[in-house]
Amino acid sequence: MLHTALVLGAGAALVGLTYVLVRRSLAARPVFVSFRHNGEGVPPPLRDPDDMVDAMERLRAETLSQLLTQSALALGIVTLLTALLGWLMASRVLRPIRAMSATAQRLSAENLSERVPVTPPADELAALAQTINGMLERIESGIADRDRLLHGQRMFVANAAHELRTPLTTMRTAIDVTLDGRPSTEELLVMTGDVRDAVVHSQRTIDGLLALARSHTGPTEPRRVDLADLAAGAVAATARRASARGTELRTDLSSARVDGDPVLLDRMIGNLVDNAVNHNEPGGHVLVTTGTEAGHARLRVTNTGQHVDPTTVDSLFEPFVRGPANHPRTNGGTGLGLSIVRAVAEAHHGQVSATAPATGGLDITVDLPLAPGAMKASFIARQPGTP
């Protein structure tokens, strides 16, 4: 309708302008009137001049009237053709918009798989359809990420509640059983030992949750740290327990300087060494190495132990996930050790990779960005004759 109205208005303006121009042209030039000749070829006698003027005026009026009538008829025909063509063109142009509208009506929060069809030619409507499809993909991806995050949070809260409820149940059971009657001194000592173990386990769980929460926030005040020094401290702190279990600790420590939170990095390395010792076999060994590799500071901890299914290695880095024989009552673990390792590495813009050797145990590698200038210092230190 708008297209037809524009054409009608332009046509009416054209007709009006043509009428004015023709009228001015006729008024500006003389009009010659042809007279009929008689049979002898002699023109009739001249009439009165006033009659000549009237004849000329009538001729002008008839010419302008015919011009206006024929122009109006032509304008009507053109307008009808324009309306028909405009209707067909508008229907073709608006068809993609109708498809977009129908797709939008079918969309919902639970169904974002619909996409707007992109048809040739590659005009503005095709670009709009591609933009809408890209927006839908981002929304669908965001909703999926949100659902995964909410599911992970619900599972984390449920597991944390279970881990904290278990020692409380143990303490209450020990107290109820012991106080049912007149307990002896020996029974009271056994009860206090059970309660103490449950409290220690609860404290470890809470400390692990706090460390995990802190690791997600990242280092607040980064400092220059050498992974070799932290690894040496972690090995020394675990040496007595490893010796008591018959586990051999081996080290190959080279300088690997990074900028980060010393407390979080120390907790990360300590968890790796502790896990390597706890989940080992009698007479096994643990190898801790540090150094630089491909522009990264690398920490690697390998240990012997039970065979681990390669398909379950990644799941061991989830909170409260333990190996097949790692119940908290047997080794005091909380299932947060490796999840803290991954969170600390990611907070320092690093990454963790793990493999399960066919001989058993795990091979875990942590790569962190080298501190500025550490690569050059490491290269100079390896040169012959360097003090």
Side-chain angles (χ1 to χ4, degrees), residues 214-246:
R214 181 185 174 189
S215 62
H216 282 296
T217 62
T220 55
E221 297 180 0
R223 293 168 49 189
R224 186 64 52 87
V225 182
D226 195 336
L227 297 182
D229 296 337
L230 297 180
V235 170
T238 318
R240 178 177 298 180
R241 183 157 49 86
S243 178
R245 298 172 61 94

PDB file of all heavy atoms in Angstrom, residues 214-246:
ATOM      1  N   ARG A 214      39.293 -20.805  47.674  1.00  0.00           N
ATOM      2  CA  ARG A 214      40.314 -19.773  47.505  1.00  0.00           C
ATOM      3  C   ARG A 214      41.044 -19.926  46.181  1.00  0.00           C
ATOM      4  O   ARG A 214      41.373 -18.936  45.524  1.00  0.00           O
ATOM      5  CB  ARG A 214      41.320 -19.851  48.659  1.00  0.00           C
ATOM      6  CG  ARG A 214      42.413 -18.788  48.584  1.00  0.00           C
ATOM      7  CD  ARG A 214      43.453 -18.963  49.668  1.00  0.00           C
ATOM      8  NE  ARG A 214      44.550 -18.028  49.496  1.00  0.00           N
ATOM      9  CZ  ARG A 214      45.677 -18.064  50.197  1.00  0.00           C
ATOM     10  NH1 ARG A 214      45.835 -18.997  51.133  1.00  0.00           N
ATOM     11  NH2 ARG A 214      46.628 -17.183  49.976  1.00  0.00           N
ATOM     12  N   SER A 215      41.280 -21.165  45.756  1.00  0.00           N
ATOM     13  CA  SER A 215      42.007 -21.384  44.511  1.00  0.00           C
ATOM     14  C   SER A 215      41.229 -20.872  43.306  1.00  0.00           C
ATOM     15  O   SER A 215      41.820 -20.465  42.303  1.00  0.00           O
ATOM     16  CB  SER A 215      42.309 -22.873  44.336  1.00  0.00           C
ATOM     17  OG  SER A 215      41.115 -23.631  44.257  1.00  0.00           O
ATOM     18  N   HIS A 216      39.885 -20.874  43.379  1.00  0.00           N
ATOM     19  CA  HIS A 216      39.086 -20.392  42.262  1.00  0.00           C
ATOM     20  C   HIS A 216      39.186 -18.879  42.104  1.00  0.00           C
ATOM     21  O   HIS A 216      38.941 -18.355  41.013  1.00  0.00           O
ATOM     22  CB  HIS A 216      37.619 -20.786  42.440  1.00  0.00           C
ATOM     23  CG  HIS A 216      37.348 -22.219  42.102  1.00  0.00           C
ATOM     24  ND1 HIS A 216      37.510 -22.722  40.833  1.00  0.00           N
ATOM     25  CD2 HIS A 216      36.938 -23.261  42.865  1.00  0.00           C
ATOM     26  CE1 HIS A 216      37.199 -24.003  40.817  1.00  0.00           C
ATOM     27  NE2 HIS A 216      36.853 -24.361  42.036  1.00  0.00           N
ATOM     28  N   THR A 217      39.524 -18.163  43.166  1.00  0.00           N
ATOM     29  CA  THR A 217      39.662 -16.717  43.088  1.00  0.00           C
ATOM     30  C   THR A 217      41.007 -16.294  42.530  1.00  0.00           C
ATOM     31  O   THR A 217      41.175 -15.151  42.117  1.00  0.00           O
ATOM     32  CB  THR A 217      39.466 -16.076  44.470  1.00  0.00           C
ATOM     33  OG1 THR A 217      40.486 -16.559  45.366  1.00  0.00           O
ATOM     34  CG2 THR A 217      38.101 -16.444  45.030  1.00  0.00           C
ATOM     35  N   GLY A 218      41.982 -17.207  42.513  1.00  0.00           N
ATOM     36  CA  GLY A 218      43.291 -16.891  41.950  1.00  0.00           C
ATOM     37  C   GLY A 218      44.189 -16.213  42.965  1.00  0.00           C
ATOM     38  O   GLY A 218      43.780 -15.842  44.073  1.00  0.00           O
ATOM     39  N   PRO A 219      45.476 -16.022  42.602  1.00  0.00           N
ATOM     40  CA  PRO A 219      46.435 -15.386  43.522  1.00  0.00           C
ATOM     41  C   PRO A 219      46.103 -13.918  43.728  1.00  0.00           C
ATOM     42  O   PRO A 219      45.905 -13.172  42.779  1.00  0.00           O
ATOM     43  CB  PRO A 219      47.779 -15.576  42.799  1.00  0.00           C
ATOM     44  CG  PRO A 219      47.421 -15.750  41.353  1.00  0.00           C
ATOM     45  CD  PRO A 219      46.088 -16.419  41.335  1.00  0.00           C
ATOM     46  N   THR A 220      46.016 -13.524  44.989  1.00  0.00           N
ATOM     47  CA  THR A 220      45.718 -12.125  45.298  1.00  0.00           C
ATOM     48  C   THR A 220      46.959 -11.249  45.177  1.00  0.00           C
ATOM     49  O   THR A 220      46.891 -10.143  44.658  1.00  0.00           O
ATOM     50  CB  THR A 220      45.144 -12.023  46.720  1.00  0.00           C
ATOM     51  OG1 THR A 220      46.063 -12.645  47.643  1.00  0.00           O
ATOM     52  CG2 THR A 220      43.798 -12.744  46.789  1.00  0.00           C
ATOM     53  N   GLU A 221      48.108 -11.734  45.661  1.00  0.00           N
ATOM     54  CA  GLU A 221      49.361 -10.991  45.584  1.00  0.00           C
ATOM     55  C   GLU A 221      50.437 -11.908  45.018  1.00  0.00           C
ATOM     56  O   GLU A 221      51.162 -12.577  45.767  1.00  0.00           O
ATOM     57  CB  GLU A 221      49.771 -10.461  46.967  1.00  0.00           C
ATOM     58  CG  GLU A 221      48.785  -9.451  47.556  1.00  0.00           C
ATOM     59  CD  GLU A 221      49.232  -8.950  48.913  1.00  0.00           C
ATOM     60  OE1 GLU A 221      50.309  -9.399  49.371  1.00  0.00           O
ATOM     61  OE2 GLU A 221      48.532  -8.125  49.499  1.00  0.00           O
ATOM     62  N   PRO A 222      50.572 -11.984  43.693  1.00  0.00           N
ATOM     63  CA  PRO A 222      51.549 -12.908  43.100  1.00  0.00           C
ATOM     64  C   PRO A 222      52.972 -12.574  43.532  1.00  0.00           C
ATOM     65  O   PRO A 222      53.350 -11.402  43.638  1.00  0.00           O
ATOM     66  CB  PRO A 222      51.358 -12.698  41.583  1.00  0.00           C
ATOM     67  CG  PRO A 222      50.004 -12.088  41.442  1.00  0.00           C
ATOM     68  CD  PRO A 222      49.792 -11.269  42.679  1.00  0.00           C
ATOM     69  N   ARG A 223      53.724 -13.638  43.786  1.00  0.00           N
ATOM     70  CA  ARG A 223      55.129 -13.504  44.153  1.00  0.00           C
ATOM     71  C   ARG A 223      55.948 -14.477  43.326  1.00  0.00           C
ATOM     72  O   ARG A 223      55.434 -15.482  42.827  1.00  0.00           O
ATOM     73  CB  ARG A 223      55.325 -13.780  45.653  1.00  0.00           C
ATOM     74  CG  ARG A 223      54.674 -12.730  46.571  1.00  0.00           C
ATOM     75  CD  ARG A 223      54.647 -13.211  48.009  1.00  0.00           C
ATOM     76  NE  ARG A 223      55.950 -13.711  48.437  1.00  0.00           N
ATOM     77  CZ  ARG A 223      56.170 -14.356  49.587  1.00  0.00           C
ATOM     78  NH1 ARG A 223      55.147 -14.585  50.402  1.00  0.00           N
ATOM     79  NH2 ARG A 223      57.374 -14.774  49.907  1.00  0.00           N
ATOM     80  N   ARG A 224      57.251 -14.176  43.174  1.00  0.00           N
ATOM     81  CA  ARG A 224      58.138 -15.060  42.441  1.00  0.00           C
ATOM     82  C   ARG A 224      58.420 -16.310  43.281  1.00  0.00           C
ATOM     83  O   ARG A 224      58.901 -16.217  44.409  1.00  0.00           O
ATOM     84  CB  ARG A 224      59.432 -14.317  42.115  1.00  0.00           C
ATOM     85  CG  ARG A 224      60.406 -15.063  41.230  1.00  0.00           C
ATOM     86  CD  ARG A 224      59.837 -15.319  39.843  1.00  0.00           C
ATOM     87  NE  ARG A 224      59.326 -14.140  39.187  1.00  0.00           N
ATOM     88  CZ  ARG A 224      60.073 -13.304  38.449  1.00  0.00           C
ATOM     89  NH1 ARG A 224      61.357 -13.549  38.272  1.00  0.00           N
ATOM     90  NH2 ARG A 224      59.516 -12.266  37.872  1.00  0.00           N
ATOM     91  N   VAL A 225      58.093 -17.467  42.724  1.00  0.00           N
ATOM     92  CA  VAL A 225      58.209 -18.740  43.437  1.00  0.00           C
ATOM     93  C   VAL A 225      58.939 -19.724  42.539  1.00  0.00           C
ATOM     94  O   VAL A 225      58.713 -19.755  41.327  1.00  0.00           O
ATOM     95  CB  VAL A 225      56.823 -19.300  43.825  1.00  0.00           C
ATOM     96  CG1 VAL A 225      56.961 -20.590  44.613  1.00  0.00           C
ATOM     97  CG2 VAL A 225      56.026 -18.271  44.618  1.00  0.00           C
ATOM     98  N   ASP A 226      59.789 -20.538  43.141  1.00  0.00           N
ATOM     99  CA  ASP A 226      60.479 -21.605  42.410  1.00  0.00           C
ATOM    100  C   ASP A 226      59.811 -22.928  42.763  1.00  0.00           C
ATOM    101  O   ASP A 226      59.778 -23.324  43.942  1.00  0.00           O
ATOM    102  CB  ASP A 226      61.962 -21.643  42.784  1.00  0.00           C
ATOM    103  CG  ASP A 226      62.774 -22.470  41.790  1.00  0.00           C
ATOM    104  OD1 ASP A 226      62.186 -23.346  41.131  1.00  0.00           O
ATOM    105  OD2 ASP A 226      63.989 -22.228  41.677  1.00  0.00           O
ATOM    106  N   LEU A 227      59.264 -23.600  41.744  1.00  0.00           N
ATOM    107  CA  LEU A 227      58.587 -24.867  41.997  1.00  0.00           C
ATOM    108  C   LEU A 227      59.540 -25.907  42.574  1.00  0.00           C
ATOM    109  O   LEU A 227      59.103 -26.805  43.311  1.00  0.00           O
ATOM    110  CB  LEU A 227      57.958 -25.394  40.699  1.00  0.00           C
ATOM    111  CG  LEU A 227      56.852 -24.536  40.076  1.00  0.00           C
ATOM    112  CD1 LEU A 227      56.301 -25.232  38.831  1.00  0.00           C
ATOM    113  CD2 LEU A 227      55.728 -24.280  41.074  1.00  0.00           C
ATOM    114  N   ALA A 228      60.815 -25.796  42.247  1.00  0.00           N
ATOM    115  CA  ALA A 228      61.788 -26.761  42.777  1.00  0.00           C
ATOM    116  C   ALA A 228      61.876 -26.663  44.298  1.00  0.00           C
ATOM    117  O   ALA A 228      61.938 -27.687  45.003  1.00  0.00           O
ATOM    118  CB  ALA A 228      63.154 -26.530  42.146  1.00  0.00           C
ATOM    119  N   ASP A 229      61.865 -25.433  44.832  1.00  0.00           N
ATOM    120  CA  ASP A 229      61.930 -25.266  46.286  1.00  0.00           C
ATOM    121  C   ASP A 229      60.665 -25.804  46.953  1.00  0.00           C
ATOM    122  O   ASP A 229      60.737 -26.478  47.997  1.00  0.00           O
ATOM    123  CB  ASP A 229      62.119 -23.787  46.627  1.00  0.00           C
ATOM    124  CG  ASP A 229      63.448 -23.237  46.125  1.00  0.00           C
ATOM    125  OD1 ASP A 229      64.380 -24.060  45.921  1.00  0.00           O
ATOM    126  OD2 ASP A 229      63.549 -22.014  45.913  1.00  0.00           O
ATOM    127  N   LEU A 230      59.513 -25.500  46.367  1.00  0.00           N
ATOM    128  CA  LEU A 230      58.269 -25.998  46.959  1.00  0.00           C
ATOM    129  C   LEU A 230      58.199 -27.515  46.888  1.00  0.00           C
ATOM    130  O   LEU A 230      57.737 -28.175  47.836  1.00  0.00           O
ATOM    131  CB  LEU A 230      57.063 -25.395  46.227  1.00  0.00           C
ATOM    132  CG  LEU A 230      56.904 -23.869  46.315  1.00  0.00           C
ATOM    133  CD1 LEU A 230      55.675 -23.419  45.535  1.00  0.00           C
ATOM    134  CD2 LEU A 230      56.804 -23.414  47.764  1.00  0.00           C
ATOM    135  N   ALA A 231      58.654 -28.102  45.788  1.00  0.00           N
ATOM    136  CA  ALA A 231      58.628 -29.563  45.662  1.00  0.00           C
ATOM    137  C   ALA A 231      59.573 -30.206  46.670  1.00  0.00           C
ATOM    138  O   ALA A 231      59.250 -31.246  47.273  1.00  0.00           O
ATOM    139  CB  ALA A 231      59.004 -29.965  44.245  1.00  0.00           C
ATOM    140  N   ALA A 232      60.728 -29.588  46.886  1.00  0.00           N
ATOM    141  CA  ALA A 232      61.670 -30.131  47.885  1.00  0.00           C
ATOM    142  C   ALA A 232      61.045 -30.097  49.272  1.00  0.00           C
ATOM    143  O   ALA A 232      61.187 -31.054  50.063  1.00  0.00           O
ATOM    144  CB  ALA A 232      62.969 -29.341  47.851  1.00  0.00           C
ATOM    145  N   GLY A 233      60.338 -29.019  49.606  1.00  0.00           N
ATOM    146  CA  GLY A 233      59.683 -28.938  50.905  1.00  0.00           C
ATOM    147  C   GLY A 233      58.582 -29.971  51.059  1.00  0.00           C
ATOM    148  O   GLY A 233      58.421 -30.581  52.122  1.00  0.00           O
ATOM    149  N   ALA A 234      57.784 -30.183  49.984  1.00  0.00           N
ATOM    150  CA  ALA A 234      56.714 -31.179  50.049  1.00  0.00           C
ATOM    151  C   ALA A 234      57.278 -32.587  50.205  1.00  0.00           C
ATOM    152  O   ALA A 234      56.734 -33.406  50.958  1.00  0.00           O
ATOM    153  CB  ALA A 234      55.847 -31.088  48.793  1.00  0.00           C
ATOM    154  N   VAL A 235      58.359 -32.901  49.512  1.00  0.00           N
ATOM    155  CA  VAL A 235      58.973 -34.224  49.636  1.00  0.00           C
ATOM    156  C   VAL A 235      59.531 -34.422  51.044  1.00  0.00           C
ATOM    157  O   VAL A 235      59.371 -35.501  51.647  1.00  0.00           O
ATOM    158  CB  VAL A 235      60.069 -34.389  48.570  1.00  0.00           C
ATOM    159  CG1 VAL A 235      60.888 -35.649  48.837  1.00  0.00           C
ATOM    160  CG2 VAL A 235      59.453 -34.446  47.182  1.00  0.00           C
ATOM    161  N   ALA A 236      60.157 -33.390  51.594  1.00  0.00           N
ATOM    162  CA  ALA A 236      60.702 -33.507  52.951  1.00  0.00           C
ATOM    163  C   ALA A 236      59.594 -33.714  53.975  1.00  0.00           C
ATOM    164  O   ALA A 236      59.757 -34.484  54.935  1.00  0.00           O
ATOM    165  CB  ALA A 236      61.509 -32.259  53.287  1.00  0.00           C
ATOM    166  N   ALA A 237      58.467 -33.033  53.789  1.00  0.00           N
ATOM    167  CA  ALA A 237      57.367 -33.171  54.744  1.00  0.00           C
ATOM    168  C   ALA A 237      56.718 -34.551  54.668  1.00  0.00           C
ATOM    169  O   ALA A 237      56.100 -35.005  55.642  1.00  0.00           O
ATOM    170  CB  ALA A 237      56.314 -32.090  54.477  1.00  0.00           C
ATOM    171  N   THR A 238      56.849 -35.220  53.533  1.00  0.00           N
ATOM    172  CA  THR A 238      56.203 -36.526  53.346  1.00  0.00           C
ATOM    173  C   THR A 238      57.178 -37.685  53.526  1.00  0.00           C
ATOM    174  O   THR A 238      56.762 -38.845  53.496  1.00  0.00           O
ATOM    175  CB  THR A 238      55.570 -36.602  51.936  1.00  0.00           C
ATOM    176  OG1 THR A 238      54.934 -35.369  51.632  1.00  0.00           O
ATOM    177  CG2 THR A 238      54.524 -37.695  51.840  1.00  0.00           C
ATOM    178  N   ALA A 239      58.460 -37.386  53.728  1.00  0.00           N
ATOM    179  CA  ALA A 239      59.484 -38.436  53.740  1.00  0.00           C
ATOM    180  C   ALA A 239      59.240 -39.472  54.837  1.00  0.00           C
ATOM    181  O   ALA A 239      59.339 -40.683  54.598  1.00  0.00           O
ATOM    182  CB  ALA A 239      60.860 -37.800  53.891  1.00  0.00           C
ATOM    183  N   ARG A 240      58.915 -39.033  56.047  1.00  0.00           N
ATOM    184  CA  ARG A 240      58.739 -39.986  57.153  1.00  0.00           C
ATOM    185  C   ARG A 240      57.550 -40.911  56.880  1.00  0.00           C
ATOM    186  O   ARG A 240      57.652 -42.130  57.091  1.00  0.00           O
ATOM    187  CB  ARG A 240      58.537 -39.223  58.466  1.00  0.00           C
ATOM    188  CG  ARG A 240      58.308 -40.135  59.662  1.00  0.00           C
ATOM    189  CD  ARG A 240      58.188 -39.338  60.949  1.00  0.00           C
ATOM    190  NE  ARG A 240      59.440 -38.601  61.231  1.00  0.00           N
ATOM    191  CZ  ARG A 240      59.616 -37.816  62.292  1.00  0.00           C
ATOM    192  NH1 ARG A 240      58.622 -37.638  63.156  1.00  0.00           N
ATOM    193  NH2 ARG A 240      60.756 -37.199  62.485  1.00  0.00           N
ATOM    194  N   ARG A 241      56.447 -40.347  56.434  1.00  0.00           N
ATOM    195  CA  ARG A 241      55.272 -41.184  56.166  1.00  0.00           C
ATOM    196  C   ARG A 241      55.544 -42.143  55.005  1.00  0.00           C
ATOM    197  O   ARG A 241      55.114 -43.297  55.026  1.00  0.00           O
ATOM    198  CB  ARG A 241      54.066 -40.287  55.858  1.00  0.00           C
ATOM    199  CG  ARG A 241      52.777 -41.035  55.639  1.00  0.00           C
ATOM    200  CD  ARG A 241      51.573 -40.122  55.894  1.00  0.00           C
ATOM    201  NE  ARG A 241      51.709 -38.855  55.202  1.00  0.00           N
ATOM    202  CZ  ARG A 241      51.328 -38.644  53.936  1.00  0.00           C
ATOM    203  NH1 ARG A 241      50.803 -39.652  53.250  1.00  0.00           N
ATOM    204  NH2 ARG A 241      51.469 -37.470  53.388  1.00  0.00           N
ATOM    205  N   ALA A 242      56.270 -41.669  53.986  1.00  0.00           N
ATOM    206  CA  ALA A 242      56.605 -42.551  52.871  1.00  0.00           C
ATOM    207  C   ALA A 242      57.519 -43.684  53.320  1.00  0.00           C
ATOM    208  O   ALA A 242      57.353 -44.840  52.901  1.00  0.00           O
ATOM    209  CB  ALA A 242      57.268 -41.741  51.764  1.00  0.00           C
ATOM    210  N   SER A 243      58.464 -43.368  54.183  1.00  0.00           N
ATOM    211  CA  SER A 243      59.371 -44.407  54.689  1.00  0.00           C
ATOM    212  C   SER A 243      58.602 -45.443  55.499  1.00  0.00           C
ATOM    213  O   SER A 243      58.875 -46.646  55.407  1.00  0.00           O
ATOM    214  CB  SER A 243      60.479 -43.766  55.532  1.00  0.00           C
ATOM    215  OG  SER A 243      61.330 -44.743  56.075  1.00  0.00           O
ATOM    216  N   ALA A 244      57.640 -44.993  56.306  1.00  0.00           N
ATOM    217  CA  ALA A 244      56.858 -45.932  57.106  1.00  0.00           C
ATOM    218  C   ALA A 244      56.020 -46.855  56.219  1.00  0.00           C
ATOM    219  O   ALA A 244      55.744 -47.997  56.595  1.00  0.00           O
ATOM    220  CB  ALA A 244      55.958 -45.166  58.065  1.00  0.00           C
ATOM    221  N   ARG A 245      55.617 -46.386  55.041  1.00  0.00           N
ATOM    222  CA  ARG A 245      54.816 -47.204  54.129  1.00  0.00           C
ATOM    223  C   ARG A 245      55.687 -48.010  53.172  1.00  0.00           C
ATOM    224  O   ARG A 245      55.165 -48.743  52.327  1.00  0.00           O
ATOM    225  CB  ARG A 245      53.867 -46.316  53.322  1.00  0.00           C
ATOM    226  CG  ARG A 245      52.850 -45.559  54.171  1.00  0.00           C
ATOM    227  CD  ARG A 245      52.092 -44.553  53.327  1.00  0.00           C
ATOM    228  NE  ARG A 245      51.353 -45.220  52.253  1.00  0.00           N
ATOM    229  CZ  ARG A 245      50.090 -45.604  52.333  1.00  0.00           C
ATOM    230  NH1 ARG A 245      49.415 -45.388  53.461  1.00  0.00           N
ATOM    231  NH2 ARG A 245      49.496 -46.183  51.323  1.00  0.00           N
ATOM    232  N   GLY A 246      56.994 -47.828  53.269  1.00  0.00           N
ATOM    233  CA  GLY A 246      57.894 -48.543  52.379  1.00  0.00           C
ATOM    234  C   GLY A 246      57.924 -47.979  50.974  1.00  0.00           C
ATOM    235  O   GLY A 246      58.221 -48.704  50.013  1.00  0.00           O
TER     236      GLY A 246
END
